[in-house]
PDB file of all heavy atoms in Angstrom:
ATOM      1  N   LEU E  12     131.171 -38.124 -22.598  1.00 81.00           N
ATOM      2  CA  LEU E  12     132.509 -38.596 -22.950  1.00 81.00           C
ATOM      3  C   LEU E  12     132.512 -40.003 -23.534  1.00 81.00           C
ATOM      4  O   LEU E  12     133.493 -40.415 -24.143  1.00 81.00           O
ATOM      5  CB  LEU E  12     133.416 -38.548 -21.714  1.00 81.00           C
ATOM      6  CG  LEU E  12     133.544 -37.181 -21.028  1.00 81.00           C
ATOM      7  CD1 LEU E  12     134.408 -37.287 -19.786  1.00 81.00           C
ATOM      8  CD2 LEU E  12     134.119 -36.158 -21.998  1.00 81.00           C
ATOM      9  N   PHE E  23     130.269 -36.041 -12.748  1.00 87.00           N
ATOM     10  CA  PHE E  23     131.094 -35.117 -13.522  1.00 87.00           C
ATOM     11  C   PHE E  23     132.579 -35.415 -13.343  1.00 87.00           C
ATOM     12  O   PHE E  23     133.001 -35.998 -12.351  1.00 87.00           O
ATOM     13  CB  PHE E  23     130.824 -33.672 -13.089  1.00 87.00           C
ATOM     14  CG  PHE E  23     129.406 -33.218 -13.323  1.00 87.00           C
ATOM     15  CD1 PHE E  23     128.414 -33.486 -12.389  1.00 87.00           C
ATOM     16  CD2 PHE E  23     129.065 -32.526 -14.472  1.00 87.00           C
ATOM     17  CE1 PHE E  23     127.123 -33.065 -12.589  1.00 87.00           C
ATOM     18  CE2 PHE E  23     127.769 -32.099 -14.684  1.00 87.00           C
ATOM     19  CZ  PHE E  23     126.799 -32.376 -13.747  1.00 87.00           C
ATOM     20  N   ALA E  31     137.742 -16.799 -22.337  1.00 96.00           N
ATOM     21  CA  ALA E  31     136.830 -15.689 -22.575  1.00 96.00           C
ATOM     22  C   ALA E  31     137.642 -14.426 -22.785  1.00 96.00           C
ATOM     23  O   ALA E  31     138.653 -14.213 -22.108  1.00 96.00           O
ATOM     24  CB  ALA E  31     135.862 -15.510 -21.407  1.00 96.00           C
ATOM     25  N   ASN E  54     131.541  -6.317 -25.676  1.00 98.00           N
ATOM     26  CA  ASN E  54     131.603  -7.226 -26.822  1.00 98.00           C
ATOM     27  C   ASN E  54     132.612  -8.315 -26.458  1.00 98.00           C
ATOM     28  O   ASN E  54     133.784  -8.017 -26.237  1.00 98.00           O
ATOM     29  CB  ASN E  54     132.041  -6.485 -28.082  1.00 98.00           C
ATOM     30  CG  ASN E  54     131.794  -7.308 -29.337  1.00 98.00           C
ATOM     31  OD1 ASN E  54     131.749  -8.534 -29.285  1.00 98.00           O
ATOM     32  ND2 ASN E  54     131.628  -6.632 -30.460  1.00 98.00           N
ATOM     33  N   TYR E  74     126.278 -18.829 -22.350  1.00 92.00           N
ATOM     34  CA  TYR E  74     126.160 -17.414 -22.011  1.00 92.00           C
ATOM     35  C   TYR E  74     126.961 -16.511 -22.944  1.00 92.00           C
ATOM     36  O   TYR E  74     127.202 -15.335 -22.627  1.00 92.00           O
ATOM     37  CB  TYR E  74     126.593 -17.178 -20.561  1.00 92.00           C
ATOM     38  CG  TYR E  74     127.960 -17.728 -20.217  1.00 92.00           C
ATOM     39  CD1 TYR E  74     129.114 -17.039 -20.541  1.00 92.00           C
ATOM     40  CD2 TYR E  74     128.083 -18.956 -19.581  1.00 92.00           C
ATOM     41  CE1 TYR E  74     130.361 -17.532 -20.231  1.00 92.00           C
ATOM     42  CE2 TYR E  74     129.331 -19.470 -19.264  1.00 92.00           C
ATOM     43  CZ  TYR E  74     130.462 -18.754 -19.581  1.00 92.00           C
ATOM     44  OH  TYR E  74     131.702 -19.269 -19.279  1.00 92.00           O
ATOM     45  N   LYS E 103      91.330  21.857  -3.015  1.00 77.00           N
ATOM     46  CA  LYS E 103      90.903  20.637  -2.342  1.00 77.00           C
ATOM     47  C   LYS E 103      90.774  19.466  -3.312  1.00 77.00           C
ATOM     48  O   LYS E 103      91.012  18.309  -2.946  1.00 77.00           O
ATOM     49  CB  LYS E 103      89.573  20.873  -1.630  1.00 77.00           C
ATOM     50  CG  LYS E 103      89.657  21.838  -0.471  1.00 77.00           C
ATOM     51  CD  LYS E 103      88.317  21.977   0.217  1.00 77.00           C
ATOM     52  CE  LYS E 103      88.413  22.930   1.408  1.00 77.00           C
ATOM     53  NZ  LYS E 103      87.116  23.085   2.098  1.00 77.00           N
ATOM     54  N   LEU E 104      90.403  19.772  -4.546  1.00 79.00           N
ATOM     55  CA  LEU E 104      90.263  18.706  -5.536  1.00 79.00           C
ATOM     56  C   LEU E 104      91.602  18.026  -5.817  1.00 79.00           C
ATOM     57  O   LEU E 104      91.651  16.829  -6.102  1.00 79.00           O
ATOM     58  CB  LEU E 104      89.679  19.276  -6.837  1.00 79.00           C
ATOM     59  CG  LEU E 104      89.351  18.261  -7.935  1.00 79.00           C
ATOM     60  CD1 LEU E 104      88.294  17.269  -7.443  1.00 79.00           C
ATOM     61  CD2 LEU E 104      88.869  18.979  -9.187  1.00 79.00           C
ATOM     62  N   ASN E 106      93.910  17.311  -3.642  1.00 70.00           N
ATOM     63  CA  ASN E 106      94.154  16.310  -2.607  1.00 70.00           C
ATOM     64  C   ASN E 106      93.425  15.003  -2.887  1.00 70.00           C
ATOM     65  O   ASN E 106      93.890  13.920  -2.522  1.00 70.00           O
ATOM     66  CB  ASN E 106      93.724  16.849  -1.243  1.00 70.00           C
ATOM     67  CG  ASN E 106      94.572  18.029  -0.818  1.00 70.00           C
ATOM     68  OD1 ASN E 106      95.732  18.135  -1.197  1.00 70.00           O
ATOM     69  ND2 ASN E 106      93.986  18.928  -0.036  1.00 70.00           N
ATOM     70  N   LEU E 108      92.563  13.910  -6.067  1.00 75.00           N
ATOM     71  CA  LEU E 108      93.019  13.305  -7.320  1.00 75.00           C
ATOM     72  C   LEU E 108      94.537  13.214  -7.433  1.00 75.00           C
ATOM     73  O   LEU E 108      95.055  12.881  -8.495  1.00 75.00           O
ATOM     74  CB  LEU E 108      92.477  14.119  -8.513  1.00 75.00           C
ATOM     75  CG  LEU E 108      90.959  14.303  -8.575  1.00 75.00           C
ATOM     76  CD1 LEU E 108      90.591  15.168  -9.774  1.00 75.00           C
ATOM     77  CD2 LEU E 108      90.259  12.951  -8.656  1.00 75.00           C
ATOM     78  N   TYR E 127     119.925  -4.657 -24.629  1.00 98.00           N
ATOM     79  CA  TYR E 127     120.137  -5.443 -25.853  1.00 98.00           C
ATOM     80  C   TYR E 127     121.157  -6.535 -25.567  1.00 98.00           C
ATOM     81  O   TYR E 127     122.197  -6.278 -24.947  1.00 98.00           O
ATOM     82  CB  TYR E 127     120.638  -4.561 -26.996  1.00 98.00           C
ATOM     83  CG  TYR E 127     121.039  -5.342 -28.229  1.00 98.00           C
ATOM     84  CD1 TYR E 127     120.125  -5.599 -29.239  1.00 98.00           C
ATOM     85  CD2 TYR E 127     122.339  -5.845 -28.363  1.00 98.00           C
ATOM     86  CE1 TYR E 127     120.485  -6.337 -30.360  1.00 98.00           C
ATOM     87  CE2 TYR E 127     122.703  -6.579 -29.479  1.00 98.00           C
ATOM     88  CZ  TYR E 127     121.781  -6.817 -30.475  1.00 98.00           C
ATOM     89  OH  TYR E 127     122.146  -7.550 -31.573  1.00 98.00           O
ATOM     90  N   TRP E 145     113.433 -36.597 -29.354  1.00 93.00           N
ATOM     91  CA  TRP E 145     114.382 -35.658 -29.933  1.00 93.00           C
ATOM     92  C   TRP E 145     115.795 -36.016 -29.484  1.00 93.00           C
ATOM     93  O   TRP E 145     116.018 -36.423 -28.359  1.00 93.00           O
ATOM     94  CB  TRP E 145     114.062 -34.231 -29.485  1.00 93.00           C
ATOM     95  CG  TRP E 145     112.778 -33.699 -30.062  1.00 93.00           C
ATOM     96  CD1 TRP E 145     111.524 -33.849 -29.552  1.00 93.00           C
ATOM     97  CD2 TRP E 145     112.647 -32.932 -31.253  1.00 93.00           C
ATOM     98  NE1 TRP E 145     110.606 -33.218 -30.348  1.00 93.00           N
ATOM     99  CE2 TRP E 145     111.270 -32.632 -31.402  1.00 93.00           C
ATOM    100  CE3 TRP E 145     113.536 -32.456 -32.213  1.00 93.00           C
ATOM    101  CZ2 TRP E 145     110.772 -31.895 -32.458  1.00 93.00           C
ATOM    102  CZ3 TRP E 145     113.044 -31.710 -33.269  1.00 93.00           C
ATOM    103  CH2 TRP E 145     111.675 -31.441 -33.397  1.00 93.00           C
ATOM    104  N   GLU E 154     123.914 -22.988 -33.404  1.00 95.00           N
ATOM    105  CA  GLU E 154     122.850 -22.055 -33.772  1.00 95.00           C
ATOM    106  C   GLU E 154     122.657 -21.027 -32.655  1.00 95.00           C
ATOM    107  O   GLU E 154     123.137 -21.201 -31.532  1.00 95.00           O
ATOM    108  CB  GLU E 154     121.532 -22.806 -34.012  1.00 95.00           C
ATOM    109  CG  GLU E 154     121.626 -23.874 -35.082  1.00 95.00           C
ATOM    110  CD  GLU E 154     121.933 -23.298 -36.448  1.00 95.00           C
ATOM    111  OE1 GLU E 154     121.349 -22.235 -36.776  1.00 95.00           O
ATOM    112  OE2 GLU E 154     122.739 -23.886 -37.181  1.00 95.00           O
ATOM    113  N   TYR E 159     117.956 -10.217 -28.075  1.00 97.00           N
ATOM    114  CA  TYR E 159     117.052  -9.726 -27.041  1.00 97.00           C
ATOM    115  C   TYR E 159     117.068  -8.207 -27.054  1.00 97.00           C
ATOM    116  O   TYR E 159     118.130  -7.583 -27.054  1.00 97.00           O
ATOM    117  CB  TYR E 159     117.508 -10.255 -25.681  1.00 97.00           C
ATOM    118  CG  TYR E 159     116.733  -9.761 -24.494  1.00 97.00           C
ATOM    119  CD1 TYR E 159     115.659 -10.479 -23.989  1.00 97.00           C
ATOM    120  CD2 TYR E 159     117.100  -8.578 -23.849  1.00 97.00           C
ATOM    121  CE1 TYR E 159     114.948 -10.034 -22.873  1.00 97.00           C
ATOM    122  CE2 TYR E 159     116.403  -8.126 -22.739  1.00 97.00           C
ATOM    123  CZ  TYR E 159     115.329  -8.865 -22.258  1.00 97.00           C
ATOM    124  OH  TYR E 159     114.641  -8.417 -21.166  1.00 97.00           O
ATOM    125  N   ASP E 163     111.991  -0.282 -21.329  1.00 97.00           N
ATOM    126  CA  ASP E 163     111.085  -0.044 -20.208  1.00 97.00           C
ATOM    127  C   ASP E 163     110.990   1.460 -19.960  1.00 97.00           C
ATOM    128  O   ASP E 163     111.992   2.178 -20.054  1.00 97.00           O
ATOM    129  CB  ASP E 163     111.584  -0.727 -18.934  1.00 97.00           C
ATOM    130  CG  ASP E 163     111.802  -2.224 -19.119  1.00 97.00           C
ATOM    131  OD1 ASP E 163     111.181  -2.803 -20.028  1.00 97.00           O
ATOM    132  OD2 ASP E 163     112.589  -2.807 -18.355  1.00 97.00           O
ATOM    133  N   ASN E 171     104.331  15.852  -1.404  1.00 82.00           N
ATOM    134  CA  ASN E 171     104.626  16.065   0.010  1.00 82.00           C
ATOM    135  C   ASN E 171     103.518  16.910   0.634  1.00 82.00           C
ATOM    136  O   ASN E 171     103.244  18.031   0.178  1.00 82.00           O
ATOM    137  CB  ASN E 171     105.976  16.765   0.178  1.00 82.00           C
ATOM    138  CG  ASN E 171     107.109  15.981  -0.426  1.00 82.00           C
ATOM    139  OD1 ASN E 171     107.165  14.758  -0.306  1.00 82.00           O
ATOM    140  ND2 ASN E 171     108.027  16.671  -1.092  1.00 82.00           N
ATOM    141  N   TYR E 180     103.712   5.347  -8.978  1.00 91.00           N
ATOM    142  CA  TYR E 180     104.516   5.072 -10.170  1.00 91.00           C
ATOM    143  C   TYR E 180     103.773   4.123 -11.095  1.00 91.00           C
ATOM    144  O   TYR E 180     102.914   3.336 -10.676  1.00 91.00           O
ATOM    145  CB  TYR E 180     105.875   4.470  -9.790  1.00 91.00           C
ATOM    146  CG  TYR E 180     105.799   3.035  -9.308  1.00 91.00           C
ATOM    147  CD1 TYR E 180     105.934   1.972 -10.202  1.00 91.00           C
ATOM    148  CD2 TYR E 180     105.581   2.744  -7.963  1.00 91.00           C
ATOM    149  CE1 TYR E 180     105.862   0.656  -9.763  1.00 91.00           C
ATOM    150  CE2 TYR E 180     105.506   1.451  -7.514  1.00 91.00           C
ATOM    151  CZ  TYR E 180     105.648   0.400  -8.420  1.00 91.00           C
ATOM    152  OH  TYR E 180     105.564  -0.892  -7.991  1.00 91.00           O
ATOM    153  N   GLY E 215     102.182  -1.012 -11.605  1.00 91.00           N
ATOM    154  CA  GLY E 215     101.942   0.239 -10.924  1.00 91.00           C
ATOM    155  C   GLY E 215     101.914   0.067  -9.424  1.00 91.00           C
ATOM    156  O   GLY E 215     101.759  -1.067  -8.929  1.00 91.00           O
TER     157      GLY E 215
END
Side-chain angles (χ1 to χ4, degrees):
L12 303 177
F23 298 85
N54 194 335
Y74 53 81
K103 293 182 179 180
L104 185 61
N106 295 331
L108 304 178
Y127 173 91
W145 291 87
E154 302 296 319
Y159 176 93
D163 304 337
N171 301 319
Y180 73 91

